[in-house]
Amino acid sequence: MAESLNAKITALFDEPGCNTNVAKGEKARKKGCSKPLQPGAAAGGCAFDGAKIALQPITDVVHLVHGPLACEGNGWDNRHAASSGPTLYRIGATTDITETDIIMGNGEKRLYRAMREVVERYAPPAIFVYSTCVTALIGDDINAVCRHATEKFGIPCIPVNAPGFVGSKNLGNKLAGEALLDHVIGTMEPEVTTPTDINILGDYNLSGELWQVKPLLEQLGIRLNACITGDARYREVATAHRARVNMMVCSTALINVARKMEERWGIPYFEGSFYGISDTSEALRTLARLLVAQGADAGLIVRAENLIEAEEKRAWSRLDAYRSRLAGKRVLLYTGGVKSWSIVSALQEMGMVIVSTSVRKSTDNDKQKIKDLMGGDAHMVNSIPPREMYAQLRRGDADILLSGGRTQFVALKARTPWLDINQERHHAFAGYDGMVTLVRQLDASLSNPVWKDVRRLAPWEQEDGETGFDDEGVPALVPIG
């Protein structure tokens, strides 16, 4: 198993579809895509975490973690990946390996018993089994156990070999994709196919974003065969090889899946985004054009243009009231991957100014898109230390911080508005309706009266006769101390 995993990781580092890897020399390519993780450091996720994130949104299967209890974490609310039906994916199933199991060599037996219990209690269409650092280090062969369980129980048992120590979360995403290619995609045939079947790769239906896009596809007569993996069912993923076009929304995660599906089944793919009005429109145009090239009715392109015209008009009519309030507001965008450029586009449409954008987990293609959008003003950063971010916000370099939950307290300490745009968010920002939601949340955060109060000088900090506000009624900022 170790040799097989090493070979797979080496192959992923030589991914032809990734411009970053192709541009490296052979020696640099072997080092991987990121710096080695420091044991015990908050490194932003391991390979196991990345694999679990990528596969857990398959909603009707059981995800069984073979490792200590702490590796499973909170499966119930993982990333707010929403489901329109089954909730089986939210069950936190783990073998709960203990020191005794490790010493006595009971790991594989414990795994088999856990799989048997899952089958008897839940009768899922499939079980995904995840290796972790501990079970990989002691040599538990989850491939062999899964093969035996598949024969014994009559349902697919999918081994996901992505122990945390092999690399970063991004590598885990790709190893999850390899598990789908090796054991799931192409193993079933769909009951019905149409000339307009598509797959969406790298969308996890966070806060229900997929449901903002599906109505647009349905109005065009485009059938979503499978979303890999947001709100997915096992059978949909298994029949994904019969789609006509793949749309990839996050190239850093599943580029290997898109490329290999094109090689094996001739499915063309492109990278697009459903964040922002213009990007949503462009994605719909590209889907229509590629489907027609694959044999769909040529009228699809005309229907797409008519829908885009109507939806853009409807969206802008709802956004006009916010444009004057948001235009010129400065944004510090601290995210990564596809959002490093897709959110930029959405914000620029409202006339907002991007102070800087983080390019963590972003590919060279992502960075080029940022340069195309922002021109010579593109200020890209890999990471900002908390102390430096705090100083920037307290100086007033930005009016609002858009980031994930890890940096929210930096903004709050600096008394600066903050909006969550990462996976923990509770609002869906995809499509035309999602753009309206994003703008409303931005306006609500920026205009919240709490900022006026918390920035005002405390009574004991004011000189005699001062109110804590300047002549224009703007609160005087408390000096950094």
Side-chain angles (χ1 to χ4, degrees):
M1 183 181 73
E3 291 184 3
S4 175
L5 180 58
N6 288 335
K8 196 169 288 293
I9 291 173
T10 301
L12 287 174
F13 288 159
D14 196 24
E15 170 58 51
C18 177
N19 293 330
T20 302
N21 281 335
V22 171
K24 292 179 180 178
E26 183 177 353
K27 184 176 180 180
R29 196 177 300 137
K30 290 180 179 179
K31 293 181 179 179
C33 300
S34 60
K35 295 180 180 179
L37 301 179
Q38 295 296 322
C46 62
F48 160 72
D49 184 36
K52 190 80 167 2
I53 284 170
L55 297 178
Q56 182 155 350
I58 303 176
T59 61
D60 60 344
V61 305
V62 170
H63 300 270
L64 176 60
V65 176
H66 183 40
L69 179 63
C71 287
E72 167 53 15
N74 181 8
W76 187 252
D77 279 323
N78 186 277
R79 290 169 60 94
H80 300 289
S83 170
S84 59
T87 58
L88 202 55
Y89 72 116
R90 302 180 79 181
I91 294 171
T94 175
T95 54
D96 189 16
I97 290 292
T98 65
E99 291 180 359
T100 302
D101 296 315
I102 296 170
I103 294 169
M104 302 303 295
N106 291 333
E108 293 178 357
K109 295 178 181 178
R110 193 176 182 93
L111 173 59
Y112 180 77
R113 288 196 296 267
M115 296 169 75
R116 182 176 61 196
E117 182 178 349
V118 164
V119 172
E120 292 173 350
R121 180 177 295 188
Y122 302 111
I127 303 173
F128 283 78
V129 179
Y130 301 80
S131 63
T132 58
C133 292
V134 172
T135 53
L137 285 170
I138 64 176
D140 282 359
D141 190 347
I142 68 169
N143 288 353
V145 178
C146 285
R147 280 196 303 269
H148 180 70
T150 298
E151 296 173 1
K152 192 74 174 178
F153 305 134
I155 67 169
C157 298
I158 315 302
V160 183
N161 282 305
F165 61 76
V166 301
S168 65
K169 182 165 65 175
N170 178 249
L171 177 60
N173 294 154
K174 292 181 169 62
L175 289 171
E178 290 296 312
L180 294 179
L181 288 165
D182 292 344
H183 303 286
V184 183
I185 299 174
T187 59
M188 293 183 178
E189 291 297 329
E191 296 177 356
V192 178
T193 60
T194 74
T196 57
D197 288 353
I198 68 164
N199 299 322
I200 296 179
L201 310 181
D203 183 280
Y204 307 120
N205 196 31
L206 303 180
S207 300
E209 287 189 337
L210 179 66
W211 303 332
Q212 293 178 318
V213 174
K214 284 186 72 174
L216 299 173
L217 301 177
E218 290 169 355
Q219 289 182 64
L220 293 175
I222 295 176
R223 178 173 173 262
L224 181 59
N225 183 66
C227 180
I228 302 177
T229 56
D231 195 20
R233 311 296 185 266
Y234 180 79
R235 182 174 183 83
E236 294 172 351
V237 180
T239 61
H241 63 299
R242 295 307 181 198
R244 301 301 180 94
V245 172
N246 280 335
M247 176 179 172
M248 182 175 57
V249 299
C250 186
S251 62
T252 59
L254 296 175
I255 178 66
N256 53 320
V257 176
R259 179 185 62 81
K260 290 183 178 180
M261 289 185 73
E262 183 176 45
E263 290 178 354
R264 295 180 188 180
W265 297 291
I267 305 174
Y269 70 90
F270 73 100
E271 184 177 11
S273 168
F274 287 116
Y275 291 124
I277 292 176
S278 60
D279 283 346
T280 298
S281 298
E282 185 59 30
L284 295 176
R285 287 191 181 98
T286 305
L287 279 171
R289 186 175 68 252
L290 289 177
L291 284 169
V292 169
Q294 292 290 97
D297 176 24
L300 177 60
I301 295 178
V302 177
R303 295 199 302 273
E305 291 299 330
N306 291 337
L307 176 66
I308 289 168
E309 181 180 359
E311 289 293 332
E312 286 189 351
K313 182 178 180 181
R314 187 171 70 92
W316 284 117
S317 67
R318 292 184 290 168
L319 292 173
D320 282 342
Y322 298 97
R323 189 191 292 271
S324 60
R325 295 162 61 92
L326 296 180
K329 295 293 184 181
R330 296 160 300 164
V331 179
L332 175 57
L333 183 59
Y334 196 67
T335 177
V338 65
K339 291 193 293 295
S340 61
W341 60 267
S342 58
I343 295 293
V344 167
S345 175
L347 297 176
Q348 286 182 329
E349 288 176 341
M350 294 304 297
M352 303 184 79
V353 178
I354 313 301
V355 175
S356 64
T357 179
S358 170
V359 290
R360 298 173 300 164
K361 301 177 291 184
S362 300
T363 65
D364 287 346
N365 190 38
D366 293 330
K367 295 174 184 178
Q368 184 58 51
K369 289 181 179 179
I370 295 172
K371 293 177 182 178
D372 293 341
L373 288 167
M374 299 176 63
D377 298 329
H379 183 212
M380 296 179 286
V381 295
N382 284 316
S383 63
I384 305 176
R387 185 181 296 273
E388 182 180 334
M389 181 183 293
Y390 172 76
Q392 284 183 313
L393 296 175
R394 288 293 286 119
R395 286 197 306 267
D397 293 352
D399 297 306
I400 188 171
L401 171 67
L402 271 61
S403 68
R406 293 178 183 175
T407 52
Q408 66 170 309
F409 298 106
V410 177
L412 297 179
K413 184 178 180 180
R415 304 169 196 187
T416 301
W418 169 80
L419 182 63
D420 190 352
I421 59 166
N422 275 11
Q423 62 266 16
E424 302 92 352
R425 64 182 179 269
H426 294 273
H427 300 279
F429 297 145
Y432 301 106
D433 291 339
M435 178 63 178
V436 176
T437 302
L438 173 61
V439 169
R440 284 176 178 166
Q441 292 300 314
L442 284 167
D443 182 67
S445 183
L446 283 164
S447 59
N448 192 320
V450 71
W451 305 118
K452 183 176 181 179
D453 287 334
V454 299
R455 291 173 178 173
R456 183 171 53 185
L457 291 173
W460 55 86
E461 295 172 318
Q462 301 171 16
E463 302 289 341
D464 291 341
E466 286 186 340
T467 63
F469 295 89
D470 62 20
D471 294 337
E472 298 179 355
V474 177
L477 290 177
V478 179
I480 299 176

